[in-house]
Amino acid sequence: MNAYRNQKVALLYVLPAAALVLVFIFIPILLNLYYSLYRWSGFSDTHVFVGLDYYFRLAKDPVFYTALGNNVLYAIISLVFQVGGGLVLAAILEEKLVRRMQPFFRTVFFLPSVISIAVVGLMWQFIYNPDVGLVNGALRGAGLADWAHAWLGDSQTAIYAVIAVSQWQYTGYIMLLFLLAMHKIPAELYEQASIDGAGGWRRFWHITIPQVKEMLLVTATITVIGAFKVFDEVYIMTAGGPGRSTEVLGTMLYRAAFRNDEMGYATTIATVVFLITFILSYVQIKLSKTGQES
């Protein structure tokens, strides 16, 4: 009887959260899927059923593959620099010779991640300016004037320039997550390894990485999902140009919805973004075996 009463009390506590999840997550997802089957405008209540036409159109749209490719490129580079670089930085800051200065470096590396993305985008637009920007100015000062370039104005370099900004902004955040995981590693493991003659690289490879593998998987998932949801930095710095060379799924969705007023097509793109992020989240849960007893 008491167990049944406890279950009812627990259910009462869960219901408000379940209602919020239903209203703000599941219902919008289902509505988005529903609206992707119709041609409609944000300025009219007329809905024309088109079935899967928008999905077939998206499959034939070359801009979609450009955007998807840019998101994949974004994810790969972010895995290398944000996750890989953040892990290496965290390991360096955990070394005895550097640990005393760790609070200072934590602040320095983490600071970019708390700056508004609008500020970051405008600041880096100025840094990349081909005439007065810091990047070209540094190259000219170093005698490498031939390397000076219109970084955001060239379709071959623009996407890499935008991606580089995200690495600068978020590597410190990922580094901080790894530091939190490393602080939980028993010091005895490193002491025993040192006694056995293991150097810094061997300690990093055989102790640090296995001990933070859960955080490694979490940060990789956060980074990859973030790469497929990216919008702000691309829109602020290039708006998908030049020539749509920096288009990503987020800017493509925005253009369809708020530039072309093709809300049905925009919801189709949103559905694809949801499916990609859902699959990535599902894979992370399976790989990490979240909720399962070891």
Side-chain angles (χ1 to χ4, degrees):
M1 188 67 179
N2 288 335
Y4 177 71
R5 184 180 301 170
N6 290 338
Q7 288 180 351
K8 290 179 64 177
V9 172
L11 183 62
L12 290 175
Y13 280 106
V14 170
L15 277 177
L20 289 174
V21 170
L22 177 67
V23 171
F24 292 105
I25 297 180
F26 289 109
I27 290 179
I29 289 172
L30 293 175
L31 286 175
N32 187 84
L33 182 60
Y34 169 79
Y35 285 128
S36 70
L37 304 177
Y38 288 83
R39 182 173 69 249
W40 57 287
S41 166
F43 302 99
S44 171
D45 59 358
T46 302
H47 291 67
V48 179
F49 182 75
V50 296
L52 298 176
D53 285 0
Y54 282 134
Y55 290 93
F56 292 126
R57 173 184 166 185
L58 188 65
K60 297 176 182 179
D61 191 343
V63 178
F64 168 69
Y65 294 102
T66 298
L68 183 61
N70 286 337
N71 281 111
V72 171
L73 182 65
Y74 217 110
I76 293 171
I77 293 177
S78 296
L79 281 174
V80 174
F81 287 94
Q82 288 185 37
V83 179
L87 177 61
V88 172
L89 282 174
I92 291 172
L93 293 184
E94 277 293 284
E95 288 294 318
K96 290 182 179 180
L97 295 176
V98 188
R99 194 174 299 169
R100 186 174 300 176
M101 294 291 292
Q102 189 182 114
F104 170 76
F105 286 112
R106 278 206 313 259
T107 303
V108 169
F109 288 124
F110 181 69
L111 187 61
S113 65
V114 299
I115 302 175
S116 165
I117 188 61
V119 174
V120 169
L122 293 173
M123 178 181 72
W124 277 90
Q125 270 189 328
F126 179 75
I127 291 174
Y128 283 133
N129 186 284
D131 299 318
V132 297
L134 182 62
V135 174
N136 283 350
L139 290 172
R140 293 187 186 103
L144 301 172
D146 291 341
W147 290 19
H149 198 71
W151 302 101
L152 295 177
D154 186 341
S155 60
Q156 299 298 317
T157 60
I159 187 62
Y160 295 100
V162 174
I163 293 174
V165 173
S166 289
Q167 311 317 304
W168 171 82
Q169 186 171 19
Y170 295 115
T171 298
Y173 171 72
I174 299 298
M175 177 206 72
L176 198 63
L177 294 179
F178 280 123
L179 278 174
L180 293 174
M182 289 179 188
H183 288 168
K184 298 178 182 179
I185 302 175
E188 294 80 7
L189 294 178
Y190 291 109
E191 293 173 0
Q192 184 61 49
S194 297
I195 293 172
D196 293 340
W201 170 251
R202 291 184 63 188
R203 293 198 301 271
F204 173 74
W205 188 257
H206 294 288
I207 297 177
T208 304
I209 291 181
Q211 291 293 319
V212 301
K213 63 180 180 181
E214 296 255 343
M215 183 60 73
L216 188 63
L217 191 56
V218 169
T219 53
T221 304
I222 292 173
T223 302
V224 172
I225 290 176
F228 280 94
K229 291 165 55 181
V230 66
F231 169 76
D232 299 35
E233 45 266 68
V234 178
Y235 185 76
I236 292 169
M237 297 180 70
T238 65
R244 310 196 78 170
S245 62
T246 60
E247 201 82 76
V248 291
L249 292 175
T251 56
M252 187 181 178
L253 187 158
Y254 178 87
R255 191 186 301 274
F258 302 109
R259 293 277 186 88
N260 304 333
D261 193 29
E262 295 183 295
M263 303 303 289
Y265 193 45
T267 52
T268 300
I269 299 170
T271 301
V272 171
V273 174
F274 164 73
L275 288 174
I276 292 172
T277 54
F278 175 80
I279 291 170
L280 292 172
S281 300
Y282 180 79
V283 169
Q284 186 268 331
I285 290 172
K286 287 297 182 182
L287 289 175
S288 63
K289 299 180 180 179
T290 302
Q292 299 181 20
E293 294 183 3
S294 56

